[in-house]
Amino acid sequence: MAAKAQPAAPPAGGNGNAGVHLPLGNGNNEHGGWRVDPPGQVDNEHSNRPDAPPGQIGKFGEDLTGTGDDNTIVGGLGNDTLDGQGGNDHLTGGRGADKFVIGPLDVQPGEGENPDTIGNIDTITDFNAADGDKIAFGFVGDANYDELTLDPPADPPADYDPFAAAKAAAEAKMGADQNAGFDYVSVQVGDDVIVFADLDGDGTADSAVVLAGATLDSVGAGDFV
């Protein structure tokens, strides 16, 4: 039987378990493990290695905040908080129990701005209540929840706006009366769900978010903070 190959001894300059720093990683440590360092890496004190591999963002949970523009924000493996701020943002939490912070609707857009439509509000691409994901609209207190499916007209007019129709249907439930009105209403619109929130109890939607590719089974009363 052939003898088991033994790890090569560290090249000159190594210091035991610390490994050897070579620009292209063509060396090994005393345990035989290859170590690749970025260009310019000379020792541990002056490390150029990133804290996490490329694409691994928020391993231990991050607060990820956007700007007033249209942002795409992607979380990682931990329990992240994603806040797009202004703009029409695409939010992807990744793994973990993530919190998505959603701002108010722009009910009176300024000059040059588009009114809110399905494409002009924040979108969560991977909402997963089973992972513990939550949507934060900023409502404080007990909240009532309801849901419905929007049935588009058989022959919709040219100016038919599914977002406006979904918002009107949600507000009909929000404004039922002061005692029975709902604070959160989810509306199935095609392949997506739009969640509307009435934050001040006046029977109108103050905030909304699209859950891309979701169904009404994907969201419920316990998914808001």
Side-chain angles (χ1 to χ4, degrees), residues 9-14 18-29 34-43 49:
V20 175
H21 298 276
L22 297 172
L24 299 178
N26 56 341
N28 54 16
N29 62 26
W34 291 89
R35 174 170 180 156
V36 180
D37 287 315
Q41 174 81 28
V42 294
D43 55 31
R49 292 188 302 276

PDB file of all heavy atoms in Angstrom, residues 9-14 18-29 34-43 49:
ATOM      1  N   ALA A   9       5.735  20.923   3.822  1.00  0.00           N
ATOM      2  CA  ALA A   9       6.178  21.865   4.846  1.00  0.00           C
ATOM      3  C   ALA A   9       5.975  23.276   4.345  1.00  0.00           C
ATOM      4  O   ALA A   9       6.003  23.527   3.139  1.00  0.00           O
ATOM      5  CB  ALA A   9       7.652  21.629   5.161  1.00  0.00           C
ATOM      6  N   PRO A  10       5.744  24.231   5.255  1.00  0.00           N
ATOM      7  CA  PRO A  10       5.536  25.614   4.803  1.00  0.00           C
ATOM      8  C   PRO A  10       6.752  26.154   4.102  1.00  0.00           C
ATOM      9  O   PRO A  10       7.877  25.868   4.500  1.00  0.00           O
ATOM     10  CB  PRO A  10       5.243  26.372   6.106  1.00  0.00           C
ATOM     11  CG  PRO A  10       5.779  25.517   7.189  1.00  0.00           C
ATOM     12  CD  PRO A  10       5.694  24.107   6.719  1.00  0.00           C
ATOM     13  N   PRO A  11       6.553  26.942   3.033  1.00  0.00           N
ATOM     14  CA  PRO A  11       7.694  27.580   2.374  1.00  0.00           C
ATOM     15  C   PRO A  11       8.408  28.509   3.333  1.00  0.00           C
ATOM     16  O   PRO A  11       7.878  28.902   4.375  1.00  0.00           O
ATOM     17  CB  PRO A  11       7.053  28.362   1.223  1.00  0.00           C
ATOM     18  CG  PRO A  11       5.709  27.716   1.019  1.00  0.00           C
ATOM     19  CD  PRO A  11       5.292  27.235   2.367  1.00  0.00           C
ATOM     20  N   ALA A  12       9.610  28.876   2.957  1.00  0.00           N
ATOM     21  CA  ALA A  12      10.392  29.780   3.799  1.00  0.00           C
ATOM     22  C   ALA A  12       9.609  31.043   4.057  1.00  0.00           C
ATOM     23  O   ALA A  12       8.991  31.604   3.150  1.00  0.00           O
ATOM     24  CB  ALA A  12      11.721  30.106   3.098  1.00  0.00           C
ATOM     25  N   GLY A  13       9.653  31.495   5.298  1.00  0.00           N
ATOM     26  CA  GLY A  13       8.944  32.713   5.659  1.00  0.00           C
ATOM     27  C   GLY A  13       7.695  32.432   6.431  1.00  0.00           C
ATOM     28  O   GLY A  13       7.093  33.333   6.985  1.00  0.00           O
ATOM     29  N   GLY A  14       7.239  31.182   6.487  1.00  0.00           N
ATOM     30  CA  GLY A  14       6.035  30.851   7.233  1.00  0.00           C
ATOM     31  C   GLY A  14       6.299  30.876   8.723  1.00  0.00           C
ATOM     32  O   GLY A  14       7.422  30.732   9.172  1.00  0.00           O
ATOM     33  N   ALA A  18       0.053  30.379  11.382  1.00  0.00           N
ATOM     34  CA  ALA A  18      -0.405  31.641  10.808  1.00  0.00           C
ATOM     35  C   ALA A  18      -0.500  31.595   9.296  1.00  0.00           C
ATOM     36  O   ALA A  18      -1.144  32.433   8.695  1.00  0.00           O
ATOM     37  CB  ALA A  18       0.518  32.782  11.219  1.00  0.00           C
ATOM     38  N   GLY A  19       0.133  30.576   8.651  1.00  0.00           N
ATOM     39  CA  GLY A  19       0.075  30.491   7.194  1.00  0.00           C
ATOM     40  C   GLY A  19       1.131  31.363   6.559  1.00  0.00           C
ATOM     41  O   GLY A  19       1.861  32.098   7.229  1.00  0.00           O
ATOM     42  N   VAL A  20       1.234  31.241   5.263  1.00  0.00           N
ATOM     43  CA  VAL A  20       2.229  31.976   4.505  1.00  0.00           C
ATOM     44  C   VAL A  20       1.526  32.928   3.559  1.00  0.00           C
ATOM     45  O   VAL A  20       0.573  32.548   2.878  1.00  0.00           O
ATOM     46  CB  VAL A  20       3.122  30.998   3.703  1.00  0.00           C
ATOM     47  CG1 VAL A  20       4.093  31.767   2.819  1.00  0.00           C
ATOM     48  CG2 VAL A  20       3.889  30.108   4.669  1.00  0.00           C
ATOM     49  N   HIS A  21       1.940  34.143   3.488  1.00  0.00           N
ATOM     50  CA  HIS A  21       1.315  35.148   2.636  1.00  0.00           C
ATOM     51  C   HIS A  21       2.061  35.203   1.311  1.00  0.00           C
ATOM     52  O   HIS A  21       3.194  35.642   1.242  1.00  0.00           O
ATOM     53  CB  HIS A  21       1.349  36.525   3.310  1.00  0.00           C
ATOM     54  CG  HIS A  21       0.592  36.557   4.594  1.00  0.00           C
ATOM     55  ND1 HIS A  21      -0.754  36.749   4.650  1.00  0.00           N
ATOM     56  CD2 HIS A  21       0.997  36.380   5.875  1.00  0.00           C
ATOM     57  CE1 HIS A  21      -1.157  36.709   5.916  1.00  0.00           C
ATOM     58  NE2 HIS A  21      -0.114  36.476   6.660  1.00  0.00           N
ATOM     59  N   LEU A  22       1.420  34.741   0.268  1.00  0.00           N
ATOM     60  CA  LEU A  22       1.985  34.783  -1.065  1.00  0.00           C
ATOM     61  C   LEU A  22       0.971  35.433  -2.000  1.00  0.00           C
ATOM     62  O   LEU A  22      -0.217  35.142  -1.907  1.00  0.00           O
ATOM     63  CB  LEU A  22       2.317  33.370  -1.555  1.00  0.00           C
ATOM     64  CG  LEU A  22       3.385  32.639  -0.728  1.00  0.00           C
ATOM     65  CD1 LEU A  22       3.492  31.198  -1.179  1.00  0.00           C
ATOM     66  CD2 LEU A  22       4.734  33.327  -0.863  1.00  0.00           C
ATOM     67  N   PRO A  23       1.376  36.292  -2.908  1.00  0.00           N
ATOM     68  CA  PRO A  23       0.423  37.056  -3.712  1.00  0.00           C
ATOM     69  C   PRO A  23      -0.598  36.211  -4.450  1.00  0.00           C
ATOM     70  O   PRO A  23      -1.739  36.605  -4.576  1.00  0.00           O
ATOM     71  CB  PRO A  23       1.338  37.824  -4.688  1.00  0.00           C
ATOM     72  CG  PRO A  23       2.642  37.938  -3.968  1.00  0.00           C
ATOM     73  CD  PRO A  23       2.768  36.681  -3.172  1.00  0.00           C
ATOM     74  N   LEU A  24      -0.194  35.046  -4.960  1.00  0.00           N
ATOM     75  CA  LEU A  24      -1.111  34.229  -5.738  1.00  0.00           C
ATOM     76  C   LEU A  24      -1.546  32.983  -4.984  1.00  0.00           C
ATOM     77  O   LEU A  24      -2.153  32.088  -5.565  1.00  0.00           O
ATOM     78  CB  LEU A  24      -0.475  33.835  -7.080  1.00  0.00           C
ATOM     79  CG  LEU A  24      -0.112  35.002  -7.993  1.00  0.00           C
ATOM     80  CD1 LEU A  24       0.549  34.498  -9.266  1.00  0.00           C
ATOM     81  CD2 LEU A  24      -1.359  35.807  -8.334  1.00  0.00           C
ATOM     82  N   GLY A  25      -1.226  32.893  -3.725  1.00  0.00           N
ATOM     83  CA  GLY A  25      -1.671  31.751  -2.939  1.00  0.00           C
ATOM     84  C   GLY A  25      -0.948  30.462  -3.280  1.00  0.00           C
ATOM     85  O   GLY A  25      -1.449  29.375  -3.026  1.00  0.00           O
ATOM     86  N   ASN A  26       0.245  30.522  -3.822  1.00  0.00           N
ATOM     87  CA  ASN A  26       0.943  29.303  -4.201  1.00  0.00           C
ATOM     88  C   ASN A  26       1.859  28.805  -3.084  1.00  0.00           C
ATOM     89  O   ASN A  26       3.004  28.471  -3.273  1.00  0.00           O
ATOM     90  CB  ASN A  26       1.739  29.525  -5.484  1.00  0.00           C
ATOM     91  CG  ASN A  26       2.705  30.694  -5.364  1.00  0.00           C
ATOM     92  OD1 ASN A  26       2.539  31.527  -4.482  1.00  0.00           O
ATOM     93  ND2 ASN A  26       3.691  30.765  -6.245  1.00  0.00           N
ATOM     94  N   GLY A  27       1.288  28.756  -1.896  1.00  0.00           N
ATOM     95  CA  GLY A  27       1.989  28.227  -0.746  1.00  0.00           C
ATOM     96  C   GLY A  27       0.989  27.546   0.136  1.00  0.00           C
ATOM     97  O   GLY A  27      -0.203  27.551  -0.127  1.00  0.00           O
ATOM     98  N   ASN A  28       1.433  26.897   1.198  1.00  0.00           N
ATOM     99  CA  ASN A  28       0.500  26.249   2.117  1.00  0.00           C
ATOM    100  C   ASN A  28       1.032  26.342   3.533  1.00  0.00           C
ATOM    101  O   ASN A  28       2.200  26.652   3.750  1.00  0.00           O
ATOM    102  CB  ASN A  28       0.248  24.789   1.708  1.00  0.00           C
ATOM    103  CG  ASN A  28       1.532  23.991   1.556  1.00  0.00           C
ATOM    104  OD1 ASN A  28       2.579  24.404   2.026  1.00  0.00           O
ATOM    105  ND2 ASN A  28       1.436  22.855   0.878  1.00  0.00           N
ATOM    106  N   ASN A  29       0.124  26.101   4.502  1.00  0.00           N
ATOM    107  CA  ASN A  29       0.568  26.147   5.890  1.00  0.00           C
ATOM    108  C   ASN A  29       0.888  24.741   6.371  1.00  0.00           C
ATOM    109  O   ASN A  29       0.786  23.769   5.627  1.00  0.00           O
ATOM    110  CB  ASN A  29      -0.464  26.837   6.776  1.00  0.00           C
ATOM    111  CG  ASN A  29      -1.787  26.093   6.795  1.00  0.00           C
ATOM    112  OD1 ASN A  29      -1.850  24.887   6.585  1.00  0.00           O
ATOM    113  ND2 ASN A  29      -2.859  26.837   7.043  1.00  0.00           N
ATOM    114  N   TRP A  34      -4.487  25.493   1.608  1.00  0.00           N
ATOM    115  CA  TRP A  34      -4.064  26.591   0.744  1.00  0.00           C
ATOM    116  C   TRP A  34      -4.674  27.902   1.224  1.00  0.00           C
ATOM    117  O   TRP A  34      -5.793  27.960   1.654  1.00  0.00           O
ATOM    118  CB  TRP A  34      -4.499  26.313  -0.694  1.00  0.00           C
ATOM    119  CG  TRP A  34      -3.743  25.166  -1.311  1.00  0.00           C
ATOM    120  CD1 TRP A  34      -4.072  23.844  -1.268  1.00  0.00           C
ATOM    121  CD2 TRP A  34      -2.510  25.247  -2.004  1.00  0.00           C
ATOM    122  NE1 TRP A  34      -3.131  23.094  -1.893  1.00  0.00           N
ATOM    123  CE2 TRP A  34      -2.148  23.931  -2.371  1.00  0.00           C
ATOM    124  CE3 TRP A  34      -1.663  26.291  -2.365  1.00  0.00           C
ATOM    125  CZ2 TRP A  34      -0.993  23.622  -3.068  1.00  0.00           C
ATOM    126  CZ3 TRP A  34      -0.518  25.999  -3.073  1.00  0.00           C
ATOM    127  CH2 TRP A  34      -0.186  24.683  -3.414  1.00  0.00           C
ATOM    128  N   ARG A  35      -3.913  28.951   1.099  1.00  0.00           N
ATOM    129  CA  ARG A  35      -4.384  30.268   1.522  1.00  0.00           C
ATOM    130  C   ARG A  35      -4.139  31.258   0.394  1.00  0.00           C
ATOM    131  O   ARG A  35      -2.998  31.404  -0.064  1.00  0.00           O
ATOM    132  CB  ARG A  35      -3.660  30.709   2.784  1.00  0.00           C
ATOM    133  CG  ARG A  35      -3.990  32.146   3.196  1.00  0.00           C
ATOM    134  CD  ARG A  35      -3.430  32.445   4.571  1.00  0.00           C
ATOM    135  NE  ARG A  35      -3.743  33.794   4.969  1.00  0.00           N
ATOM    136  CZ  ARG A  35      -3.809  34.179   6.231  1.00  0.00           C
ATOM    137  NH1 ARG A  35      -3.613  33.303   7.189  1.00  0.00           N
ATOM    138  NH2 ARG A  35      -4.066  35.426   6.525  1.00  0.00           N
ATOM    139  N   VAL A  36      -5.191  31.904  -0.073  1.00  0.00           N
ATOM    140  CA  VAL A  36      -5.070  32.867  -1.166  1.00  0.00           C
ATOM    141  C   VAL A  36      -5.312  34.266  -0.616  1.00  0.00           C
ATOM    142  O   VAL A  36      -6.321  34.518   0.029  1.00  0.00           O
ATOM    143  CB  VAL A  36      -6.083  32.565  -2.285  1.00  0.00           C
ATOM    144  CG1 VAL A  36      -5.938  33.577  -3.418  1.00  0.00           C
ATOM    145  CG2 VAL A  36      -5.875  31.147  -2.809  1.00  0.00           C
ATOM    146  N   ASP A  37      -4.380  35.158  -0.853  1.00  0.00           N
ATOM    147  CA  ASP A  37      -4.506  36.514  -0.368  1.00  0.00           C
ATOM    148  C   ASP A  37      -4.612  37.483  -1.538  1.00  0.00           C
ATOM    149  O   ASP A  37      -4.060  37.236  -2.608  1.00  0.00           O
ATOM    150  CB  ASP A  37      -3.298  36.898   0.486  1.00  0.00           C
ATOM    151  CG  ASP A  37      -3.323  36.208   1.840  1.00  0.00           C
ATOM    152  OD1 ASP A  37      -4.392  36.186   2.457  1.00  0.00           O
ATOM    153  OD2 ASP A  37      -2.278  35.688   2.241  1.00  0.00           O
ATOM    154  N   PRO A  38      -5.328  38.604  -1.338  1.00  0.00           N
ATOM    155  CA  PRO A  38      -5.454  39.597  -2.412  1.00  0.00           C
ATOM    156  C   PRO A  38      -4.111  40.233  -2.734  1.00  0.00           C
ATOM    157  O   PRO A  38      -3.177  40.189  -1.927  1.00  0.00           O
ATOM    158  CB  PRO A  38      -6.420  40.639  -1.820  1.00  0.00           C
ATOM    159  CG  PRO A  38      -7.066  39.954  -0.657  1.00  0.00           C
ATOM    160  CD  PRO A  38      -6.068  38.976  -0.149  1.00  0.00           C
ATOM    161  N   PRO A  39      -3.987  40.840  -3.910  1.00  0.00           N
ATOM    162  CA  PRO A  39      -2.754  41.560  -4.236  1.00  0.00           C
ATOM    163  C   PRO A  39      -2.448  42.611  -3.174  1.00  0.00           C
ATOM    164  O   PRO A  39      -3.332  43.331  -2.720  1.00  0.00           O
ATOM    165  CB  PRO A  39      -3.075  42.199  -5.589  1.00  0.00           C
ATOM    166  CG  PRO A  39      -4.152  41.347  -6.170  1.00  0.00           C
ATOM    167  CD  PRO A  39      -4.971  40.871  -5.001  1.00  0.00           C
ATOM    168  N   GLY A  40      -1.209  42.688  -2.784  1.00  0.00           N
ATOM    169  CA  GLY A  40      -0.799  43.658  -1.773  1.00  0.00           C
ATOM    170  C   GLY A  40      -0.839  43.128  -0.354  1.00  0.00           C
ATOM    171  O   GLY A  40      -0.373  43.790   0.568  1.00  0.00           O
ATOM    172  N   GLN A  41      -1.364  41.924  -0.148  1.00  0.00           N
ATOM    173  CA  GLN A  41      -1.428  41.339   1.192  1.00  0.00           C
ATOM    174  C   GLN A  41      -0.032  40.882   1.600  1.00  0.00           C
ATOM    175  O   GLN A  41       0.600  40.095   0.897  1.00  0.00           O
ATOM    176  CB  GLN A  41      -2.379  40.145   1.197  1.00  0.00           C
ATOM    177  CG  GLN A  41      -2.419  39.375   2.514  1.00  0.00           C
ATOM    178  CD  GLN A  41      -3.316  40.061   3.519  1.00  0.00           C
ATOM    179  OE1 GLN A  41      -4.235  40.739   3.119  1.00  0.00           O
ATOM    180  NE2 GLN A  41      -3.046  39.880   4.781  1.00  0.00           N
ATOM    181  N   VAL A  42       0.456  41.390   2.722  1.00  0.00           N
ATOM    182  CA  VAL A  42       1.792  40.996   3.174  1.00  0.00           C
ATOM    183  C   VAL A  42       1.790  40.383   4.562  1.00  0.00           C
ATOM    184  O   VAL A  42       2.665  39.618   4.916  1.00  0.00           O
ATOM    185  CB  VAL A  42       2.766  42.199   3.133  1.00  0.00           C
ATOM    186  CG1 VAL A  42       2.987  42.640   1.687  1.00  0.00           C
ATOM    187  CG2 VAL A  42       2.222  43.365   3.953  1.00  0.00           C
ATOM    188  N   ASP A  43       0.811  40.741   5.400  1.00  0.00           N
ATOM    189  CA  ASP A  43       0.743  40.160   6.733  1.00  0.00           C
ATOM    190  C   ASP A  43      -0.667  40.357   7.283  1.00  0.00           C
ATOM    191  O   ASP A  43      -1.501  41.027   6.684  1.00  0.00           O
ATOM    192  CB  ASP A  43       1.790  40.776   7.674  1.00  0.00           C
ATOM    193  CG  ASP A  43       1.695  42.302   7.752  1.00  0.00           C
ATOM    194  OD1 ASP A  43       0.554  42.825   7.614  1.00  0.00           O
ATOM    195  OD2 ASP A  43       2.724  42.954   7.939  1.00  0.00           O
ATOM    196  N   ARG A  49      -8.085  41.448   3.034  1.00  0.00           N
ATOM    197  CA  ARG A  49      -9.179  40.513   2.841  1.00  0.00           C
ATOM    198  C   ARG A  49     -10.482  41.136   3.310  1.00  0.00           C
ATOM    199  O   ARG A  49     -10.531  41.796   4.347  1.00  0.00           O
ATOM    200  CB  ARG A  49      -8.929  39.208   3.617  1.00  0.00           C
ATOM    201  CG  ARG A  49      -7.779  38.395   3.076  1.00  0.00           C
ATOM    202  CD  ARG A  49      -7.716  37.037   3.766  1.00  0.00           C
ATOM    203  NE  ARG A  49      -7.584  37.138   5.205  1.00  0.00           N
ATOM    204  CZ  ARG A  49      -6.427  37.301   5.840  1.00  0.00           C
ATOM    205  NH1 ARG A  49      -5.300  37.385   5.142  1.00  0.00           N
ATOM    206  NH2 ARG A  49      -6.375  37.371   7.147  1.00  0.00           N
TER     207      ARG A  49
END
